Amino acid sequence: MIGAGAVGPIERIFEQYRVHGHRCYGETVSEREHALQCATIAEAAGEEDLVIAACLLHDYGHLCHEKGEGIASRGVDARHEELGAAALAAWFRPELVEGVRLHVEAKRYLCFLDPRYAARLSPASATSLRLQGGRHSAEEARAFSAGPHAALAVKVRRYDELAKQPGRKTPPLESFREVLVAWLLPSAADGARQA
Ligand SMILES: [Fe+2]
């Protein structure tokens, strides 16, 4: 049980999106819109809670640095996938954390695997790809795809690319609370259902 007045992890995450979610990172939607669209599209596709939760949080790391917006266009890679994974590892089970950490590697992998995917990347995503190491080599792709979390990361990545639609309506953050709670570490779960 969290103490009186303490703020649980889900509330802290939602607060980050409320306070910083207006940020853009070169796309045509804000961070909050992007996260909600990604989770909503995954949910509508019938994905399991793990995929939906990873979709919602995959870019959480963009809210964890103060390097400014649209940094890729300035040649800066904030390593947001690592920042997000590091922050979320305090609260969430490793499967979810790895889905977040690997979503950039999944982009590099898909660009190696599927030229049509690479051709459809948004301009911002194509710019950041160059900073992130470009598409995988055959060896990198083999190593990545053999990993235990590759399938999750690839799913997240494909929904990521669909979640950049200006004006698309989504449910609020609160509607994803239970999906996130399901993937909390036992030590973080107590009290997390409280709004
Ligand atoms: Fe994203």
Side-chain angles (χ1 to χ4, degrees):
M1 184 76 181
I2 57 176
V7 178
I10 307 297
E11 200 50 41
R12 289 175 66 172
I13 289 167
F14 285 178
E15 186 65 8
Q16 281 287 88
Y17 279 99
R18 289 186 198 108
V19 173
H20 300 297
H22 63 279
R23 292 180 184 173
C24 291
Y25 58 107
E27 301 289 359
T28 52
V29 290
S30 70
E31 289 290 352
R32 185 169 52 239
E33 290 171 319
H34 179 57
L36 287 169
Q37 286 187 18
C38 199
T40 300
I41 292 167
E43 187 174 50
E47 295 291 356
E48 58 183 298
D49 282 359
L50 175 59
V51 179
I52 297 167
C55 282
L56 187 72
L57 298 179
H58 75 278
D59 276 344
Y60 185 69
H62 278 308
L63 307 183
C64 300
H65 66 76
E66 298 298 334
K67 295 182 188 299
E69 301 179 51
I71 57 173
S73 65
R74 291 187 268 119
V76 177
D77 178 9
R79 303 280 297 165
H80 74 283
E81 68 279 19
E82 294 293 343
L83 291 175
L88 296 170
W91 301 317
F92 290 99
R93 288 154 59 183
E95 299 95 316
L96 174 53
V97 173
E98 291 309 304
V100 171
R101 187 194 312 279
L102 292 174
H103 81 276
V104 169
E105 280 304 305
K107 176 170 72 168
R108 298 183 63 212
Y109 170 72
L110 285 169
C111 285
F112 165 81
L113 195 71
D114 182 357
R116 289 171 305 171
Y117 169 87
R120 287 198 300 266
L121 285 180
S122 67
S125 202
T127 298
S128 59
L129 174 68
R130 286 190 283 277
L131 297 172
Q132 291 158 344
R135 70 179 189 178
H136 273 169
S137 66
E139 192 175 334
E140 287 172 323
R142 211 165 20 249
F144 171 79
S145 61
H149 308 292
L152 168 62
V154 165
K155 281 190 173 186
V156 170
R157 193 70 225 184
R158 288 200 181 276
Y159 293 121
D160 184 349
E161 307 306 340
L162 298 174
K164 302 173 182 180
Q165 303 175 38
R168 180 179 173 131
K169 293 275 181 281
T170 63
L173 278 168
E174 191 59 45
S175 68
F176 294 102
R177 178 181 292 270
E178 290 301 320
V179 166
L180 296 182
V181 166
W183 286 91
L184 285 170
L185 293 166
S187 58
D190 288 345
R193 285 187 173 80
Q194 299 165 2

